[in-house]
Amino acid sequence: MSQPIGIFDSGIGGLTVASAIKKVLPQESIIYFGDTAHVPYGDKSRELISHYAVRITDFLLKEKNCKAIVIACNTASAAAYEKLRDQYKGSIPVINVIDPMIEEVIADESVKHVGIIATKTTIASGVYQEKFSRRKPQLKFSAMATPLLAQMIEEGFYNNNISDAVLKEYLGDPMLRDIDGLVLACTHYPLIKKEIDAYFEGRVKIFDSAEVVANKLRIILEKEGLLQIESSKEDHFYVSDYTKSFEIATRIFFQQQVKLERSGIWDEGL
Ligand code: DGL
């Protein structure tokens, strides 16, 4: 099917997921939407995030004719996935970044105590905690909000002294002392995966959702008969507020610089 895949995030962090999707499904075209006018989502209420997510999904489906939606943001997945899934049930697949990760972790018998690091809203939603305790009651988990990380990464602070110090402070928390697995429950965090791995000196298995979600999307598109067979048209990357610094930062998340286009979905009254 030649329609594009719609992917959205609060900003440009979700480009880590978009990049994994392009690797797993190179023949597909994508429409990415980064809600840069409202980033960060991580400290906003679930109600407000859900309101944003519904409007963005509407844009991707009605204006851009997407055949599937990927919520490439843990915070938006925690706040709005159920609402979107119920709204589009039976018409288009809506994929979140949390459920494929839950499956991945619970299938790993080597993990007995998993840490979860994410934004405040994701942790406060209790979604990971609820799903882990329901799906695998014997799995111990420790969930911790790490609000500085997404901002730090977006400002280009990773693999340096500042990120080292911030990570040391968070990861040294006694709560994470005896974990053997760690879920990077924010789509910004793949950028600091190596640093986190180095901090734990390889003792902790690090789970990052980008690849897991891309593989899950491939399975769903295949099952629904929605896979694109021939190489398709070009990709588009929209943001709700354009600044040059967002465009420059796309390189770190997508592994190549992309041209951002501004979409005026929130422009009414401007
Ligand atoms: N990338 C978002 C996530 O996965 C977090 C960034 C934000 O706070 O907007 O949760």
Side-chain angles (χ1 to χ4, degrees):
M1 244 209 209
S2 66
Q3 291 161 267
I5 297 163
I7 305 170
F8 76 90
D9 176 46
S10 56
I12 48 181
L15 286 171
T16 55
V17 179
S19 163
I21 290 174
K22 287 300 285 184
K23 284 198 186 100
V24 172
L25 297 164
Q27 74 285 15
E28 300 284 344
S29 64
I30 60 170
I31 305 280
Y32 182 88
F33 187 99
D35 195 8
T36 49
H38 297 128
V39 71
Y41 279 3
D43 51 9
K44 294 194 168 59
S45 70
R46 293 183 77 172
E47 293 72 24
L48 188 60
I49 296 164
S50 187
H51 169 72
Y52 295 152
V54 167
R55 175 66 185 96
I56 294 165
T57 304
D58 200 59
F59 166 79
L60 291 170
L61 294 180
K62 299 207 177 115
E63 292 175 46
K64 299 295 161 194
N65 194 27
C66 292
K67 63 183 174 186
I69 297 292
V70 178
I71 311 174
C73 173
N74 281 265
T75 314
S77 294
Y81 168 63
E82 269 143 35
K83 185 166 188 173
L84 293 177
R85 179 201 58 195
D86 294 347
Q87 192 163 332
Y88 294 104
K89 216 178 198 133
S91 57
I92 56 129
V94 178
I95 292 126
N96 70 76
V97 285
I98 297 176
D99 289 320
M101 183 52 94
I102 299 282
E103 296 302 326
E104 186 81 6
V105 175
I106 64 175
D108 192 325
E109 292 302 332
S110 72
V111 178
K112 311 282 183 227
H113 179 188
V114 68
I116 306 147
I117 54 171
T119 65
K120 285 187 200 163
T121 304
T122 301
I123 297 300
S125 76
V127 172
Y128 276 96
Q129 299 92 312
E130 187 270 319
K131 288 186 190 235
F132 278 135
S133 45
R134 188 159 42 82
R135 299 289 310 279
K136 198 170 183 180
Q138 71 276 30
L139 180 71
K140 194 174 161 203
F141 56 78
S142 299
M144 188 167 79
T146 47
L148 289 181
L149 297 185
Q151 295 285 81
M152 176 186 92
I153 296 165
E154 210 146 298
E155 287 300 326
F157 288 104
Y158 57 97
N159 283 329
N160 68 16
N161 294 343
I162 292 173
S163 60
D164 266 5
V166 174
L167 281 174
K168 217 168 169 184
E169 187 66 27
Y170 279 139
L171 302 177
D173 192 290
M175 186 196 279
L176 302 179
R177 190 174 296 139
D178 66 349
I179 56 169
D180 44 27
L182 181 69
V183 177
L184 307 187
C186 172
T187 52
H188 281 65
Y189 300 175
L191 272 297
I192 48 171
K193 186 175 175 179
K194 278 204 190 106
E195 269 177 284
I196 294 177
D197 198 32
Y199 175 86
F200 288 112
E201 297 172 329
R203 281 177 283 110
V204 170
K205 182 160 181 189
I206 315 292
F207 293 90
D208 125 35
S209 53
E211 211 179 301
V212 174
V213 171
N215 286 326
K216 177 77 182 173
L217 175 67
R218 183 182 49 75
I219 293 166
I220 291 175
L221 293 183
E222 207 160 28
K223 191 165 140 238
E224 304 275 332
L226 291 173
L227 273 181
Q228 166 80 18
I229 308 299
E230 286 155 27
S231 193
S232 61
K233 293 168 282 179
E234 62 194 50
D235 305 321
H236 286 275
F237 300 86
Y238 293 94
V239 282
S240 49
D241 187 28
Y242 175 88
T243 66
K244 192 71 195 157
S245 71
F246 282 134
E247 188 157 271
I248 292 166
T250 59
R251 180 184 291 278
I252 60 176
F253 292 99
F254 199 64
Q255 289 159 26
Q256 72 187 70
Q257 191 146 347
V258 297
K259 190 176 158 9
L260 296 179
E261 297 170 55
R262 188 177 172 283
S263 149
I265 67 167
W266 310 117
D267 279 1
E268 209 174 301
L270 262 192

